[in-house]
Amino acid sequence: MAASGMGRDSGTGTKSGTLNLQANAFDPPEGSLRRSVGRGAIITALAQSVRVATQIVSVIVLSRLLSPQDFGVVAMCAPVLAFIALFQDFGLTQATVQKSEIKHEEVNYLFWVNVAVSALLACVLAGAAPLVAAFYGEPRVSGLVAALGLQIIAYGLGAQHLALLTRRMEFARLAIIDVASAIAGLAVSIAWTFIDRSYWALFAGTLTAAVLPTLCYWANSRWRPSLPRKVNGISELINFGAGITGFNFANFFARNLDNVLIGKYWGEAQLGLYDRAYKLLLFPLSQITNPLSKVMVPALSRLKDEPDRYRSAYLRVMPLILLVALPGVAFAIAMADMLIPFVLGEQWRQSSSIFLALGFAGLLQPLNNPAGWLFISQGRSGDFMRWGIITALTSVLAFLVGLPYGALGVAIAYAVSEYLRTPFLWLYIGKTGPLRASHILRAATPFVLGAHLALAAIWFAKPLLPQQHIVAMASAVALSYMITVMTALAFASGRETLREALRLLPARAPKAAPSEAK
């Protein structure tokens, strides 16, 4: 990790003679990009493996301690919280990270915008709580929705401090904070079940996971806000953030309307089954790609004027994500009928068919989710927003088509929509900028094709697998990765990625920094 180098007075000085020093203090040290990206990718991947493991343990343990109805109540609140949270950040953390040069006055202004908006949104949540409870016909939802305002305030207080740590590529510190927060949140949730075995245990864990990182961001960024004052030229940052918020607003419907519709028309039991299937597969997948944006967005932003290096950086990281994630998804889909009862318990067996359907969307999301890195780092927040609108409209249409058939119908329709959207996404991204759809096709085909072949092979080989569940699943995992790797070896781009993966092994980690960032 690069040394901090941020002056202790960087959050308070206002004299013109200190402005350049403050602006430089918000950036990584000169010449650190190559080292920071290489180490950051490795550190973030390790941290995310711990986070994903924690999430899976959370699903397993809490599913045994709490009932489907408890998860259903929380799932009813989740879309409301996600909708409100769209506006608290207003894309301003990404604006801070992406801007070529930024000063204390600009960061300070954005901090106070984040705080004011978060406080307002917490009040909106409290006022809307009875309406949400009436919508679902579930009175327990009211108190939980109002309490979630505390999370909104906690996130708002730490948004700009997080942005500064990300901009400075302090990836090791961010990784430690993320892992500690995830583990602390799980520990608090489990401990709370001994006090009150209800949905409040889940709330206690999520609140812990919101407050703890904010405290750590303040302690580690060493930047402190001053009194708010007018700043010239701030509109550029606000406009950029508005594009990000527009995407998030549209994407909200693509990610959350399924929960609302299932909860409304099929009740908390069906929603609980759907929510557990989603959380066990698609949520961990998003937790692989989303945190890597902390590494890739600031790195790509600093390479945006060098097309060859920009393209090389992205095309070295994206296939590695596919290599790691897709064989695991293929295994999980093929073994869903055995995996779900084994992991969650027999009472969740009905969730296995939903899990299987959502799994097909999971075969494409590790490819599609990182597209946001490209939009943001290239400053194309308007294009990002427009794609979000397209995604929202097609996803909502899919939800409505599948809704008459219950949670399973929604899951199948959503997976189909993901396959239909994918080629258009990469054609849209490739209309401008260093990357074309042909680049993505060449880099991704070995692993997407390999994962689908692995899925088919495991499915047909299931009767031949050992009777013991653990041995059968371990054999299926090994088979999935073996077939995916063998498929990749048939392509030049696949062989190139496999060589890169070997260079990133721990024993050779010092040599793993991307050469394009020299």
Side-chain angles (χ1 to χ4, degrees):
M1 178 185 67
S4 175
M6 181 180 292
R8 294 181 181 273
D9 62 341
S10 63
T12 57
T14 58
K15 294 181 180 181
S16 60
T18 64
L19 292 182
N20 289 336
L21 175 62
Q22 291 167 356
N24 292 335
F26 291 147
D27 296 327
E30 283 295 323
S32 67
L33 183 58
R34 175 188 176 190
R35 181 176 66 254
S36 296
V37 172
R39 290 184 177 181
I42 295 171
I43 291 169
T44 303
L46 292 174
Q48 276 310 113
S49 66
V50 176
R51 282 186 61 88
V52 170
T54 302
Q55 175 65 31
I56 293 173
V57 170
S58 172
V59 171
I60 295 171
V61 174
L62 294 175
S63 294
R64 294 179 179 273
L65 292 173
L66 301 173
S67 69
Q69 287 74 21
D70 290 325
F71 286 100
V73 170
V74 174
M76 288 176 177
C77 301
V80 181
L81 177 63
F83 181 76
I84 292 294
L86 294 178
F87 305 98
Q88 71 167 22
D89 176 69
F90 204 67
L92 299 182
T93 56
Q94 294 290 4
T96 298
V97 171
Q98 194 267 347
K99 195 171 188 291
S100 297
E101 295 183 2
I102 197 163
K103 299 179 293 187
H104 162 74
E105 286 80 1
E106 293 170 322
V107 178
N108 191 63
Y109 189 94
L110 299 182
F111 169 81
W112 287 110
V113 171
N114 284 138
V115 171
V117 171
S118 296
L120 176 63
L121 293 176
C123 295
V124 171
L125 266 181
L131 300 177
V132 178
F135 174 81
Y136 285 116
E138 174 53 74
R140 292 177 293 178
V141 169
S142 181
L144 187 55
V145 168
L148 289 172
L150 296 174
Q151 288 181 224
I152 293 289
I153 294 174
Y155 286 131
L157 286 169
Q160 287 302 311
H161 295 79
L162 168 60
L164 292 177
L165 287 169
T166 303
R167 182 184 177 89
R168 285 191 50 80
M169 300 188 181
E170 299 276 8
F171 300 128
R173 295 187 185 191
L174 290 171
I176 292 171
I177 292 171
D178 285 348
V179 169
S181 301
I183 294 174
L186 172 59
V188 168
S189 288
I190 294 174
W192 195 276
T193 62
F194 294 97
I195 301 172
D196 176 23
R197 188 167 289 194
S198 73
Y199 53 88
W200 286 109
L202 300 174
F203 168 77
T206 57
L207 182 60
T208 300
V211 172
L212 180 59
T214 293
L215 296 175
C216 294
Y217 297 150
W218 275 69
N220 283 274
S221 74
R222 298 204 297 271
W223 175 80
R224 297 295 177 265
S226 56
L227 293 176
R229 57 177 60 88
K230 185 178 180 180
V231 179
N232 293 327
I234 199 70
S235 59
E236 178 186 349
L237 291 171
I238 299 295
N239 290 337
F240 180 88
I244 302 296
T245 301
F247 169 82
N248 291 336
F249 181 79
N251 193 51
F252 164 81
F253 294 98
R255 299 302 184 194
N256 292 283
L257 191 61
D258 48 353
N259 284 351
V260 174
L261 292 173
I262 293 171
K264 173 66 176 178
Y265 293 101
W266 291 92
E268 70 273 11
Q270 279 273 304
L271 179 56
L273 294 172
Y274 184 89
D275 177 69
R276 288 298 86 188
Y278 185 95
K279 290 288 174 63
L280 192 60
L281 181 62
L282 296 188
F283 182 78
L285 285 177
S286 71
Q287 294 306 297
I288 294 173
T289 55
N290 290 350
L292 277 175
S293 66
K294 298 174 184 177
V295 178
M296 295 305 297
V297 170
L300 292 173
S301 296
R302 283 151 183 80
L303 295 171
K304 61 186 175 184
D305 296 326
E306 303 177 71
D308 291 338
R309 294 171 68 192
Y310 183 102
R311 182 168 53 250
S312 176
Y314 186 80
L315 292 179
R316 292 180 72 178
V317 173
M318 183 272 290
L320 290 172
I321 295 173
L322 303 184
L323 172 61
V324 171
L326 293 190
V329 177
F331 147 75
I333 297 173
M335 303 295 290
D337 56 343
M338 183 183 298
L339 180 67
I340 295 300
F342 179 79
V343 172
L344 300 184
E346 191 63 33
Q347 72 271 27
W348 294 94
R349 177 174 289 277
Q350 293 181 63
S351 188
S352 60
S353 58
I354 300 172
F355 180 92
L356 187 153
L358 289 175
F360 281 93
L363 286 173
L364 291 180
Q365 287 194 357
L367 169 65
N368 295 338
N369 287 349
W373 307 348
L374 303 176
F375 284 118
I376 295 170
S377 62
Q378 294 174 25
R380 297 166 57 187
S381 64
D383 285 344
F384 198 26
M385 178 181 67
R386 284 184 280 275
W387 179 255
I389 293 171
I390 293 171
T391 299
L393 292 175
T394 54
S395 294
V396 170
L397 178 61
F399 298 153
L400 293 176
V401 169
L403 186 62
Y405 306 96
L408 177 59
V410 171
I412 293 172
Y414 175 69
V416 171
S417 73
E418 191 76 24
Y419 277 80
L420 295 177
R421 277 193 303 269
T422 295
F424 295 101
L425 166 62
W426 293 106
L427 289 171
Y428 187 61
I429 289 176
K431 72 175 186 175
T432 186
L435 277 159
R436 298 289 182 265
S438 58
H439 297 140
I440 300 300
L441 181 65
R442 176 180 178 273
T445 295
F447 304 100
V448 175
L449 175 62
H452 283 78
L453 292 176
L455 166 60
I458 297 171
W459 185 272
F460 288 110
K462 284 171 67 174
L464 305 177
L465 294 176
Q467 293 297 315
Q468 298 89 345
H469 286 182
I470 294 179
V471 177
M473 288 188 287
S475 301
V477 169
L479 180 61
S480 184
Y481 277 91
M482 182 182 69
I483 292 174
T484 303
V485 169
M486 290 176 62
T487 304
L489 287 172
F491 296 82
S493 60
R495 293 192 295 271
E496 183 179 340
T497 298
L498 293 173
R499 285 193 294 267
E500 180 71 14
L502 291 175
R503 286 195 292 267
L504 289 172
L505 290 175
R508 305 184 68 180
K511 301 180 181 180
S515 61
E516 80 284 353
K518 290 181 180 179

